[in-house]
Amino acid sequence: MNRPSWTNKDNLYRIIFEADTPAGKMYDIILIIGIFASIFTAFIETIPSLAHLFKVVLEVLEYVFTVLFTVDYCARLYCSPKPREYALSFFGIIDFLSTIPPYLAFLLPGVQYMLLLRSFRFIRIFRVFKLFSFLNEGYLLMESLKKSMNKIMVYFMFVLILVVCIGTVMYMVEGNRPGTQFTDLGTSVYYAIVTMTTVGYGDITPQTGLGRFLSGFVMLLGYTIIAIPTGIVTATFVDETQSPVRHDKCPRCGHKVSKGDRFCSQCGERL
């Protein structure tokens, strides 16, 4: 039995983009372990005592992860049927952002840039989004969020207007009292947001009976509307899972494909 050639684009594609072969499964497992390990090291770096104790180990691991994800990104560009579309796709951008920080450190040397480079390094957290590429359900969820975005934005605008109105009323009710915590309209709107989302920090509290009654109404109102975005996305998700397969869309991620395409430019699925 012939072993797959690493210089053959089709074989390399099957290993990187598909998981129905032993080599493909092994590649995915190695990449997933690398993603989790790189995120774990990023958390360790934020703990001063551990970062100082394992400084050399963390630096070596960062170089290893950099090489791993750079090779993965370049290999995906090489074997992708449409490299440009992959590079500009959601996961292509995530792959690029999660790989570039160490190289920025070389391009921007100097003490004056250390604070900036520190923030660049934490772009590595974006690697967690790469895990979606290993889950068909992840593509369905992303597509459902995309299709629900207009409805969610309308709902967000409604909630925004609502909290501004409630904050204005609270300011009218509580703002004239001596020693009030509702000192301005912005503080009142902040209180309305905290109360409607049922967070309830307790840093601002109404003193009048009418203010407390209104606060109780806002709390109950929050429970009735907070689940609406979840319902919108869930309904779209169900529609996506039950919709028949279309020949102009990728069956895995729903990305539009052209007639004659052999692979999806978004996820690499064989059509």
Side-chain angles (χ1 to χ4, degrees):
M1 183 175 179
N2 295 329
R3 297 174 63 86
S5 173
W6 286 89
T7 60
N8 186 287
K9 284 189 177 183
D10 289 336
N11 288 332
L12 188 59
Y13 170 85
R14 295 189 189 98
I15 294 174
I16 294 178
F17 284 99
E18 297 179 1
D20 55 354
T21 62
K25 292 179 181 178
M26 180 60 64
Y27 184 86
D28 287 352
I29 291 174
I30 293 174
L31 202 57
I32 290 174
I33 293 174
I35 293 170
F36 277 117
S38 66
I39 294 172
F40 179 75
T41 57
F43 278 97
I44 295 296
E45 288 179 356
T46 62
I47 305 175
S49 58
L50 295 179
H52 178 73
L53 183 62
F54 300 103
K55 181 180 179 181
V56 176
V57 176
L58 293 174
E59 289 181 354
V60 172
L61 286 175
E62 177 56 22
Y63 286 123
V64 172
F65 296 141
T66 299
V67 172
L68 173 65
F69 292 114
T70 300
V71 171
D72 173 69
Y73 180 69
C74 293
R76 290 177 186 273
L77 285 175
Y78 170 74
C79 70
S80 176
K82 296 181 178 180
R84 186 175 182 274
E85 291 193 18
Y86 163 73
L88 297 177
S89 67
F90 174 79
F91 290 109
I93 294 174
I94 291 299
D95 290 343
F96 177 76
L97 289 178
S98 62
T99 305
I100 196 174
Y103 300 106
L104 292 176
F106 289 108
L107 294 175
L108 300 175
V111 178
Q112 64 272 25
Y113 295 114
M114 290 308 295
L115 183 61
L116 181 62
L117 295 179
R118 183 180 177 86
S119 63
F120 281 150
R121 290 171 65 85
F122 288 102
I123 301 177
R124 290 175 298 164
I125 298 299
F126 281 113
R127 290 171 183 163
V128 71
F129 288 103
K130 288 166 64 71
L131 295 177
F132 275 106
S133 61
F134 300 101
L135 301 171
N136 287 331
E137 292 78 4
Y139 282 98
L140 288 176
L141 178 60
M142 296 298 296
E143 188 68 15
S144 300
L145 288 172
K146 181 180 178 181
K147 291 187 175 181
S148 304
M149 192 55 63
N150 289 337
K151 296 178 182 178
I152 293 176
M153 289 305 299
V154 171
Y155 171 79
F156 176 78
M157 291 300 298
F158 167 75
V159 174
L160 183 62
I161 294 172
L162 186 61
V163 295
V164 170
C165 294
I166 293 174
T168 302
V169 173
M170 288 297 297
Y171 180 69
M172 294 170 61
V173 172
E174 296 283 336
N176 295 325
R177 290 181 57 85
T180 180
Q181 295 175 301
F182 295 82
T183 55
D184 54 77
L185 189 58
T187 302
S188 301
V189 172
Y190 161 78
Y191 169 80
I193 295 173
V194 171
T195 304
M196 180 172 290
T197 55
T198 69
V199 175
Y201 289 123
D203 53 341
I204 303 174
T205 55
Q207 302 298 323
T208 66
L210 181 59
R212 291 174 179 174
F213 174 80
L214 181 60
S215 297
F217 173 76
V218 174
M219 293 175 195
L220 295 176
L221 182 64
Y223 277 110
T224 61
I225 68 175
I226 200 169
I228 291 179
T230 304
I232 293 174
V233 176
T234 301
T236 307
F237 186 84
V238 172
D239 291 340
E240 285 293 310
T241 56
Q242 295 180 349
S243 60
V245 176
R246 295 174 55 184
H247 296 290
D248 61 340
K249 296 179 66 177
C250 172
R252 184 182 186 189
C253 69
H255 184 69
K256 186 177 180 180
V257 296
S258 302
K259 185 177 180 180
D261 287 348
R262 295 174 57 200
F263 304 97
C264 174
S265 61
Q266 180 77 8
C267 67
E269 177 75 1
R270 184 183 293 274
L271 302 176

